[in-house]
Amino acid sequence: MLVRTSLFQFLTRGARCLLQTSATTRHVPEFLPRHFSSSRHARMRLVSFRDRGSDGKPRVGVEVTAGGGVVDLAAACPALPRDMCDFLAAGQTALEGAKSALEAGQHILPRDQIHLTSPVPNPGKVICVGMNYKDHCLEQNAPIPEEPIYFSKFGNSITGPEDDIIHPENSDEVDWEVEMVVVIGKQGKDIKEEEAYDYVAGYTVADDVSARDWQMRKNGRQWLLGKTFDTFCPLGPAIVTKDEIPDPHALGLRCRVNGKTVQDSSTEQLVFKVPTLVAWISRIVTLSPGDVILTGTPPGVGVFRKPPVFLKRGDVVECEVDGIGTIRNKVV
């Protein structure tokens, strides 16, 4: 597996870091490269952040509590990769190093000193699934798909959980879509459904912002351009590691615009569950650490309201998934 940070350097320096950060727990994990394991998985909320006011590259941290202070892993354990894709590629080894740093309780930055970016600032692939909620299909009087419908966004659409959504000048129909997101933690191709969770690092929240005029009428009515304007994919606030979510198919999710609830459903309505989505797309493309899969949206989007309702500059959109968190983005 290719990791942009030298894995050899990470492994050789990492043992010293774990010895230091684990001193308070009297536990030094065997420092060997391992991938994500259900039995050994460290339960955490991973974030990417910058110092507030800085425009430097984001680095990886761990929330002490949801919405609370963040352990700066670059300070607590310099051997750990600073980029989230590299961190995830290092697998269980990196997670155990981060967990030891969290338990040590040092290098904690107050929330008001940092700015959260997308937890994965630079995913190699942003994979989306359309028509994947039964109640959303009913909303459109559309048949329930017999196989997953995939499309994509480009990386320029990624923005942070607190960042602005830019309303493009050439669209009058910008819409909201709350989604639960699967974050890939291990490279895989032709993955079996029964092994799919071995390739999942955790889950986060997205707003699949959509320009409906471009999606539904312009450019041959294909979906890509209407979905991938700059800032059209806020992500965050954290990657909640998978053992924190006993069942990703039993989570409430909702969207609010200016405080008014416009979407309110549950992931139990998913047509295709997480293992199917991961396995199915891996037949076509190799999945890599840091890839994200937006699993679909429930009913309540603006385009299907009567009359339709679309976002305007000044609106504030909040997307929330139980057990993961809330992203809050202003339209400008």
Side-chain angles (χ1 to χ4, degrees):
M1 182 182 300
L2 293 177
V3 182
R4 291 190 291 272
T5 299
S6 168
L7 185 58
F8 175 77
Q9 292 177 351
F10 165 52
L11 293 174
T12 54
R13 287 184 293 156
R16 182 171 64 255
C17 173
L18 279 178
L19 283 168
Q20 293 170 348
T21 57
S22 299
T24 58
T25 62
R26 299 178 180 273
H27 172 65
V28 181
E30 179 186 6
F31 209 87
L32 297 173
R34 290 185 292 273
H35 296 302
F36 295 94
S37 161
S38 296
S39 61
R40 298 180 61 87
H41 196 225
R43 301 185 176 202
M44 288 180 293
R45 297 177 57 88
L46 301 169
V47 299
S48 293
F49 70 96
R50 296 186 183 96
D51 296 326
R52 192 166 290 279
S54 168
D55 58 358
K57 289 186 177 180
R59 56 192 191 271
V60 179
V62 184
E63 286 188 319
V64 177
T65 58
V70 169
V71 176
D72 181 357
L73 294 181
C77 189
L80 290 173
R82 294 190 174 202
D83 173 82
M84 184 63 78
C85 290
D86 291 344
F87 179 92
L88 295 175
Q92 195 68 26
T93 301
L95 286 174
E96 289 176 354
K99 190 169 190 294
S100 295
L102 178 63
E103 291 172 346
Q106 299 178 4
H107 303 287
I108 298 173
L109 299 175
R111 198 58 167 240
D112 60 4
Q113 292 184 12
I114 64 172
H115 176 80
L116 292 187
T117 68
S118 163
V120 188
N122 56 339
K125 290 182 280 297
V126 184
I127 302 164
C128 308
V129 185
M131 307 291 291
N132 199 34
Y133 274 74
K134 299 170 189 174
D135 47 9
H136 186 43
C137 293
L138 294 174
E139 175 185 44
Q140 305 173 57
N141 294 316
I144 294 175
E146 296 183 2
E147 61 185 18
I149 300 171
Y150 289 95
F151 61 97
S152 65
K153 289 175 176 274
F154 295 139
N156 61 284
S157 66
I158 297 295
T159 194
E162 305 165 353
D163 294 336
D164 293 337
I165 297 167
I166 299 173
H167 193 300
E169 294 291 341
N170 55 347
S171 175
D172 297 317
E173 299 181 1
V174 178
D175 205 349
W176 57 82
E177 292 190 8
V178 61
E179 309 212 8
M180 181 190 74
V181 179
V182 176
V183 181
I184 298 299
K186 173 182 168 183
Q187 184 171 300
K189 182 76 166 67
D190 296 321
I191 298 167
K192 298 178 181 178
E193 282 197 28
E194 60 269 25
E195 298 174 355
Y197 284 118
D198 291 342
Y199 295 81
V200 172
Y203 307 92
T204 192
V205 181
D207 184 356
D208 176 16
V209 185
S210 306
R212 301 300 188 188
D213 38 8
W214 282 89
Q215 177 190 355
M216 295 180 168
R217 294 192 302 280
K218 299 182 180 183
N219 198 45
R221 295 187 294 179
Q222 57 80 40
W223 290 6
L224 174 63
L225 293 187
K227 295 283 190 172
T228 201
F229 281 85
D230 293 347
T231 73
F232 266 29
C233 192
L235 282 179
I239 299 170
V240 178
T241 53
K242 63 186 174 185
D243 280 6
E244 287 285 330
I245 307 293
D247 183 0
H249 310 112
L251 303 176
L253 74 168
R254 58 205 62 85
C255 176
R256 294 180 291 272
V257 177
N258 300 327
K260 178 182 178 181
T261 299
V262 292
Q263 290 182 280
D264 191 356
S265 187
S266 169
T267 56
E268 67 183 4
Q269 289 283 324
L270 283 169
V271 178
F272 301 101
K273 310 299 186 185
V274 170
T276 301
L277 296 177
V278 171
W280 208 97
I281 193 62
S282 77
R283 301 175 196 166
I284 311 300
V285 298
T286 299
L287 294 174
S288 300
D291 287 350
V292 294
I293 303 175
L294 282 65
T295 57
T297 199
V301 296
V303 69
F304 295 123
R305 292 177 173 268
K306 297 180 181 179
V309 178
F310 298 109
L311 294 171
K312 60 186 183 300
R313 293 172 182 84
D315 287 344
V316 175
V317 185
E318 296 174 284
C319 293
E320 177 182 29
V321 180
D322 291 346
I324 302 175
T326 302
I327 59 177
R328 185 179 187 275
N329 305 93
K330 184 177 180 180
V331 182
V332 300

